[in-house]
Amino acid sequence: MEHLTLRLIGPEDTAFLQYVPGNFRSLPGQNEAVCVGAVYGGAACGAALAQRDRWGTYDLRYIFVDPKARLCGLGTYLLRGLLGQIQAQGGTQVRAIYTPSMLEDGRQTLSILERAGFSRPEPVSTSFSTRLGDIPDVNLAPHPELAVYSALDAPEPVQDAYMDLLDAGGLPDFADAEELERPWGELSSFCAQGGVLSGWLLIDHKGEGCHLAGLYVLPEFRGGRTAAALIARSIRAAKAILPPETEVWTSAIDRNAFSLCDKLLRLGDRAVKETEFCAVYTF
């Protein structure tokens, strides 16, 4: 292993970007990201990438070893090197969230996490994915007090009310637009009832598809029509600009979210439901 070295990766290191998915290739070199690459005999042979959230926790986004260099401990070497760089930058915790289908070789990938010192994986949510064309339309009769807007054209008072809630703190991560990697304003929706913000649905780009990042209804408006109105507008907007085979993906973290996803996203012969697991490394 005397010819094996590790290096930090930036956007100029194009030889390593082949090992990073397209939707993450803008991250190397940014302040919130740490990306390391392995070099053997002068050639790139793998990369690992983590991204820091606004609270300082890092998420392991991707680790990939060139097929020609597998089964020799390179994955563990990459991950330990990544952890060392995160620690040097002041990180205190790294999460690895995954589904079984994300692991090309499940046992090998899990053993890499275990050897690097991550905790035992625990189930944390349920992942749903389907094609846009298989999602049924939600039809609602017009309501005089209910108005739904895209995130791009919501009235200023509605946007201001949302920002005030963010500034006050206390909203879950999935309700925070700043947590989105590539916000999709045309598809994200805001709802107002009687002119007052009642809820929102945030949508992010995920590769060439859509990530339903979070549906949130303010407590005083729950049990009404806000959630259905948000879903209906976003589905219509997506079907107007995207092909039916577009992948739609989301995670359900509680019973109500699971029930809703089960109704909307389990249709069609390409729908997938999987348990998501989380393993944690603490410095």
Side-chain angles (χ1 to χ4, degrees):
M1 300 290 276
E2 63 272 17
H3 299 295
L4 181 64
T5 58
L6 193 79
R7 57 181 290 184
L8 279 171
I9 302 304
E12 70 281 0
D13 298 304
T14 55
F16 295 91
L17 296 183
Q18 63 179 310
Y19 302 124
V20 178
N23 54 318
F24 293 138
R25 286 179 186 168
S26 63
L27 292 178
Q30 295 187 19
N31 290 334
E32 75 273 17
V34 178
C35 186
V36 297
V39 181
Y40 184 75
C45 57
L49 173 69
Q51 184 180 20
R52 185 182 67 242
D53 66 20
R54 61 190 301 190
W55 293 277
T57 296
Y58 283 82
D59 287 303
L60 178 64
R61 293 300 190 190
Y62 205 70
I63 180 169
F64 187 86
V65 174
D66 193 296
K68 297 178 182 178
R70 292 179 181 172
L71 302 178
C72 65
L74 182 54
T76 302
Y77 176 79
L78 266 172
L79 185 53
R80 286 177 175 167
L82 180 70
L83 293 171
Q85 291 295 331
I86 291 172
Q87 184 178 28
Q89 296 191 24
T92 59
Q93 192 175 80
V94 183
R95 296 176 300 204
I97 298 176
Y98 63 90
T99 63
S101 67
M102 292 168 60
L103 307 180
E104 184 177 357
D105 185 332
R107 290 184 179 178
Q108 182 181 352
T109 302
L110 292 179
S111 67
I112 290 172
L113 294 175
E114 182 179 343
R115 288 196 297 269
F118 278 75
S119 66
R120 183 183 182 88
E122 298 289 344
V124 292
S125 58
T126 303
S127 168
F128 291 84
S129 64
T130 191
R131 298 189 315 164
L132 176 62
D134 291 332
I135 300 176
D137 293 328
V138 177
N139 298 312
L140 292 177
H143 190 284
E145 291 193 354
L146 208 63
V148 192
Y149 313 91
S150 81
L152 300 180
D153 61 16
E156 188 171 336
V158 171
Q159 296 190 38
D160 289 345
Y162 175 67
M163 295 307 299
D164 288 343
L165 288 169
L166 289 183
D167 291 342
L171 290 176
D173 292 354
F174 66 82
D176 187 346
E178 293 184 3
E179 289 295 302
L180 303 184
E181 294 176 23
R182 298 169 60 203
W184 208 327
E186 300 97 321
L187 304 187
S188 296
S189 299
F190 282 78
C191 186
Q193 185 169 328
V196 178
L197 175 66
S198 59
W200 53 91
L201 173 58
L202 300 177
I203 297 182
D204 207 3
H205 288 78
K206 180 180 182 287
E208 298 301 318
C210 304
H211 173 210
L212 307 184
L215 171 65
Y216 188 81
V217 178
L218 292 166
E220 58 267 35
F221 296 102
R222 291 173 188 171
R225 296 158 51 97
T226 290
L230 289 165
I231 294 168
R233 197 214 76 85
S234 288
I235 291 174
R236 287 196 304 269
K239 289 185 175 181
I241 63 173
L242 298 172
E245 61 270 18
T246 301
E247 182 191 22
V248 178
W249 174 86
T250 193
S251 294
I253 60 176
D254 60 28
R255 182 176 299 178
N256 290 334
F258 181 94
S259 176
L260 181 59
C261 292
D262 214 36
K263 293 176 182 176
L264 286 175
L265 306 179
R266 287 292 304 281
L267 304 176
D269 56 4
R270 292 166 65 178
V272 175
K273 182 186 77 170
E274 291 186 293
T275 299
E276 292 182 311
F277 294 88
C278 179
V280 178
Y281 184 95
T282 301
F283 295 100

